[in-house]
Amino acid sequence: MLDGGRAGRAGTREPATDGARAGRRSTAAGGRAGVVRTVSSRPVREPFDDEEDAPPPRRRSQPRRPDAQPRRPVRKPRRPPRLGDPRRRLRLGTVLALALFASIGVRLVYLQTVDTPAYADGGLPNRLAVVELPAPRGAILDRDGEPLAHSVEARYVFADPTRVKDRFATARLLSPLLGVPVSDLAEKMRKRTLPGTDTPLQFVYLARGVEIATAKRIMALDLAGINVHRDERREVPGGDLAANLIGFVSQDMNGLEGLEAKYDDVLRGQAGKRTYEVGLGDLAAPIPGGYSRTTQPQPGSSLKLTVDRDLQFMTQRILAKQTAKVKGSVGAAVIIEVPSGEVLAQASQPTYDAANPTKVASPSDRDDAATTFVVDPGSIHKAITFGAALQEGVITPDTAFPVANTIDRGGVTFRDTHPVDGRTMSIPGMLAFSSNVGTIEIGEKLGKERLFDYQKRFGLGQVTGEGMPGEAAGRLLPPDQWSGSAYGSVPIGHSVDATPLQMAAAYATIANNGTYVQPHLVKETIGADGERSPAAAPTTRSVLSPANAAALRRMMEAVTTVDGPDGQATGLAAAVPGYRVAGKTGTGLRYDGGKQQPGEVGSFIGMAPAENPRYVVAVFVWSPGGGGGAVAAPAFREMMGFTLRHYRVPPSLTNKSPKFEVFPR
């Protein structure tokens, strides 16, 4: 107890009474006698005061009583747990949320920009219809641009198998209109999927090239899943005109034979396609504003040939008339323009209607005889032997020597059909009477190697490359394979295989002053845009000198002019009134599949006007019973006469025709 800052009696404590407190307060109030402060003898401890502030425990002066209860120790209060910093968690959460939203945003942008078509078209294939748009096929034209084969507007009939309700009933209704068996139509309309996919097939052709009137009748039936679309049909205005050259196409407009097959990649265009979105069920029609994509077709190019339509018609007519005189015959005729090498006409007999190619007695009736008719040319080959001998100096136009009636080579006897009993005969006389013996002797002087070389230079033993598919190459006998009899057979045109076109090209070489020009049928290609592309230039090579070619032509005129007391030349029937003609007759054999056929092949090849040839005409006629030679020369006369008049070639000055001495003295 402190009173006024002074200490009380030591060791005593006096409790403060209320009176004393009152007196002190009154004293304080009445005057400033002193300040009275009351201090507790023991400080008051709060429960959570730090331990350091607690006073040290007092020591007991007396020992604890045994029976006294132990004093419960004071437990130190726990420190409250330290809270984590929330700002770190907030920052981490914010970063994760932003990353998530950024990823979603990037993905949405990618889907809306890059992958839009893929997702926008999801399920689209199941509601798309595809219609093929055929490309117009190019035409085949003659040299004047007249159509030999071209396409006209038609319709194709197609089915959507997914919409056809009763395919067999539908097929029975369509069969009489399309001319297709019911079973075939029903099979085409069978439901199936596209190869390698689960997408149902929704388009199949039922017929191509259907006439427009027939297509209208089909549409009038209002059959579910059946429709028509614009198409084309191949038309051949001339029927059988140049049919063996032109060939024909399939129902799908693919070339199958002839020039249609050879130049199919040129004539056939690139088909287009229309893909559009349709509804389902009864609403299977184009959806307005729906998906639609059209690829326009690319039309094919046209071929312009060297063939003259009018000349081709007359050549076929003449050939058919002459071959009709010989039972079971096969004929071929070729007309080549000099010096261009262009084939103006190329006819075959029999022929066929290209619009109905299946209506033939035999598939061979569709063959082009000029390029597939392999013959043993016989005496028309003698012009090659004489030309080579002139060029090599073995003979001259004035050469003459005795000619026997027969000659033996390798145990084979070769005879002349016009025996001269060993008389001296001139070269023109040997040509006029087609002397085998005289030609064999000249061939021996020439030699087998040189003769073989000239055969190749004249174009034998190899395809001409005229443009027709399946052209035969013929066959030559190499010198190292000659037997003893070959020295007699090869010079006169036996043991040699050739086609009418090859022999015509060889004679065109003589007519063209000794220069071989590859015969060709295609003049130019005309694109769909009208652009013209000339055909590749023909192969040419020199075979004879102009002087020797002219000398040979002059001597060959004897074949159509010699008619006197010593006999008549073999080609008098080929003479064309008003014109000088140089040519040669021939009698040979026909081979088919490497086998000799019965009968014989009669032929005549000539050129006119002989003094300046403009055209070469070759005629071949084979008959199992023979007799082809009797019609070949007359057919040549008619064909050459019409050709000269058709192109208005002035007549020759026949008074300047050479006079030949067959047996010079």
Side-chain angles (χ1 to χ4, degrees), residues 167-252:
R167 59 190 178 105
F168 291 99
T170 302
R172 283 191 291 270
L173 292 173
L174 293 177
S175 179
L177 296 174
L178 300 179
V180 181
V182 173
S183 58
D184 293 349
L185 292 174
E187 174 60 24
K188 290 181 178 180
M189 291 184 284
R190 179 174 56 84
K191 292 182 180 180
R192 53 191 180 276
T193 59
L194 294 172
T197 69
D198 295 331
T199 304
L201 180 66
Q202 294 180 294
F203 178 89
V204 61
Y205 283 116
L206 297 182
R208 299 288 304 271
V210 177
E211 293 184 359
I212 297 176
T214 303
K216 290 181 178 179
R217 294 175 60 188
I218 292 173
M219 291 305 297
L221 296 175
D222 194 21
L223 300 172
I226 305 299
N227 212 330
V228 301
H229 202 276
R230 184 183 178 121
D231 196 15
E232 60 176 331
R233 184 179 72 254
R234 205 61 167 170
E235 204 168 77
V236 185
D240 65 352
L241 183 65
N244 301 73
L245 291 178
I246 296 170
F248 58 93
V249 299
S250 67
Q251 189 182 46
D252 294 332

Side-chain angles (χ1 to χ4, degrees), residues 109-183:
V109 172
Y110 183 82
L111 293 176
Q112 291 294 323
T113 57
V114 180
D115 275 359
T116 298
Y119 287 92
D121 292 344
L124 187 61
N126 295 329
R127 59 181 187 273
L128 288 183
V130 181
V131 175
E132 184 174 335
L133 304 178
R137 188 176 179 86
I140 298 179
L141 312 171
D142 83 334
R143 67 187 297 110
D144 296 322
E146 297 296 333
L148 297 173
H150 65 116
S151 297
V152 297
E153 184 179 351
R155 297 290 184 268
Y156 66 78
V157 181
F158 68 97
D160 180 350
T162 63
R163 296 180 53 215
V164 175
K165 296 180 179 179
D166 187 338
R167 59 190 178 105
F168 291 99
T170 302
R172 283 191 291 270
L173 292 173
L174 293 177
S175 179
L177 296 174
L178 300 179
V180 181
V182 173
S183 58

Side-chain angles (χ1 to χ4, degrees), residues 16 25 37 45 118 149 158 208 228-229 232 248 334 361 370 381 504 515 518 540 542 547 611 619 639:
R25 283 195 299 267
R37 294 177 179 173
R45 292 179 57 89
F158 68 97
R208 299 288 304 271
V228 301
H229 202 276
E232 60 176 331
F248 58 93
V334 180
H381 181 274
T515 299
Q518 176 190 20
T540 62
S542 178
E611 66 276 16
V619 180
M639 293 177 191

Side-chain angles (χ1 to χ4, degrees), residues 133-139 232 264-272 296-302 525-530:
L133 304 178
R137 188 176 179 86
E232 60 176 331
D264 185 61
D265 56 339
V266 175
L267 296 167
R268 186 181 66 239
Q270 185 175 354
Q296 294 297 333
Q298 301 296 321
S301 300
S302 297
T525 302
I526 305 174
D529 56 356

Side-chain angles (χ1 to χ4, degrees), residues 64-79:
R64 185 185 299 266
R65 295 192 306 268
D67 56 348
Q69 294 292 330
R71 187 176 180 179
R72 170 179 267 174
V74 179
R75 179 176 294 179
K76 180 181 179 179
R78 288 186 176 181
R79 186 185 299 269

Side-chain angles (χ1 to χ4, degrees), residues 8 24 29 115 119 238 252 254 265 269 273 334 374 450-451 470 486 493 527 559 563 571 656:
R24 287 192 293 268
D115 275 359
Y119 287 92
D252 294 332
N254 295 319
D265 56 339
K273 183 172 62 174
V334 180
V374 179
R450 287 191 292 184
L451 179 56
V559 176
D563 184 10
K656 292 188 177 181

